[in-house]
Amino acid sequence: MADHNTPQASDGAYWAANLRIIFISLVIWALVSFGFGILLRPALSGIAVGGTDLGFWFAQQGSILVFLVLIFNYAWRMNKLDREYGVDEE
């Protein structure tokens, strides 16, 4: 059984946390861009946002805004994770 303080165990935990952040970000991105913008567009057509329906808004603007939020969230979470595992930049 491996000691959790070894570099290999620490590296594995770091990459597992990194992959979890990436996976969650990709799921949110796919749900917003493909789900809301394409698949759920007919269901969202009755909701008006800025003079157009919500499905169209997600396809044209919302998915881009969510993508930007995901980028900043990923950078913030990775900086926090880097500090936690002692691999941050000074």
Side-chain angles (χ1 to χ4, degrees):
M1 192 188 289
D3 182 16
H4 291 292
N5 293 327
T6 64
Q8 293 83 10
S10 180
D11 289 348
Y14 174 81
W15 282 109
N18 184 4
L19 290 176
R20 186 176 58 249
I21 293 169
I22 291 171
F23 179 75
I24 291 169
S25 297
L26 286 174
V27 168
I28 293 170
W29 175 65
L31 178 67
V32 169
S33 63
F34 189 70
F36 291 164
I38 298 171
L39 296 178
L40 297 175
R41 184 163 184 243
L44 299 173
S45 65
I47 304 169
V49 171
T52 187
D53 65 89
L54 186 59
F56 182 77
W57 183 83
F58 267 113
Q60 299 301 313
Q61 298 295 325
S63 60
I64 296 169
L65 295 175
V66 170
F67 185 69
L68 289 173
V69 169
L70 286 173
I71 290 171
F72 285 107
N73 181 56
Y74 178 77
W76 175 73
R77 295 287 307 262
M78 284 307 298
N79 284 334
K80 185 177 172 184
L81 189 67
D82 289 349
R83 282 190 303 274
E84 183 180 326
Y85 283 90
V87 294
D88 58 331
E89 299 176 8
E90 294 185 39

